[in-house]
Amino acid sequence: MNKTELQKYIAEAYSTVPDFPWESTPDAAVYRHENNRKWFALVMTIPKARLGIRSNGMIDIVNLKCDPLLVGSLRSEPGIFPAYHMNKDKWLSVALDGSADDEQIKMLLDMSFELTAVTIQRRHKEK
């Protein structure tokens, strides 16, 4: 999956359009929940070296929130890295260069969407 395909998928699956909050990185797209404004995806282009890739050039990535219990094992999968510029215990960076499986990206996107959604806490009344 590349950056364009991901952005099209997000628009269709979540009816969300990006915002671009930083003047210094005008192409960095933040996808948020409408009701709580929390991010569930951040799409940007960064130097490959920032991910530990020994190659010159830039790479498109998406940062996604992840269940902390899964972060470590997912980082061993192709195209998945410790989060760039985010909490590495709760976020992952996924390369948008075809190295990560499309279905896995969609699953991680769904997880990120759910983990950042509004939670309703219920109080149980004792009888």
Side-chain angles (χ1 to χ4, degrees):
M1 182 176 290
N2 65 34
K3 180 178 174 179
T4 303
E5 292 166 338
L6 177 76
Q7 291 177 319
K8 182 179 177 186
Y9 177 77
I10 291 172
E12 291 171 358
Y14 303 103
S15 301
T16 303
V17 295
D19 63 66
F20 302 90
W22 303 291
E23 286 184 29
S24 61
T25 52
D27 293 334
V30 174
Y31 291 87
R32 306 173 189 262
H33 291 274
E34 283 292 320
N35 54 6
N36 66 7
R37 305 298 294 154
K38 286 187 179 183
W39 304 2
F40 64 91
L42 168 60
V43 179
M44 60 185 146
T45 305
I46 63 171
K48 290 180 179 180
R50 298 285 172 112
L51 296 178
I53 299 172
R54 293 184 178 155
S55 173
N56 291 331
M58 306 294 279
I59 188 168
D60 292 328
I61 65 165
V62 59
N63 280 351
L64 300 167
K65 192 163 189 177
C66 183
D67 183 327
L69 297 174
L70 300 175
V71 168
S73 61
L74 285 168
R75 283 191 222 151
S76 66
E77 297 288 324
I80 300 179
F81 301 89
Y84 170 71
H85 218 284
M86 302 289 271
N87 179 320
K88 289 169 183 33
D89 294 331
K90 297 179 182 178
W91 290 79
L92 296 168
S93 288
V94 181
L96 299 174
D97 63 353
S99 59
D101 179 73
D102 288 2
E103 292 306 312
Q104 188 169 43
I105 293 172
K106 291 175 184 178
M107 181 273 299
L108 291 170
L109 190 57
D110 288 341
M111 183 187 308
S112 185
F113 188 84
E114 292 299 320
L115 288 171
T116 55
V118 172
T119 57
I120 300 171
Q121 295 184 2
R122 297 180 182 162
R123 296 181 186 210
H124 296 283
K125 294 182 182 180
E126 293 183 20
K127 294 183 179 182

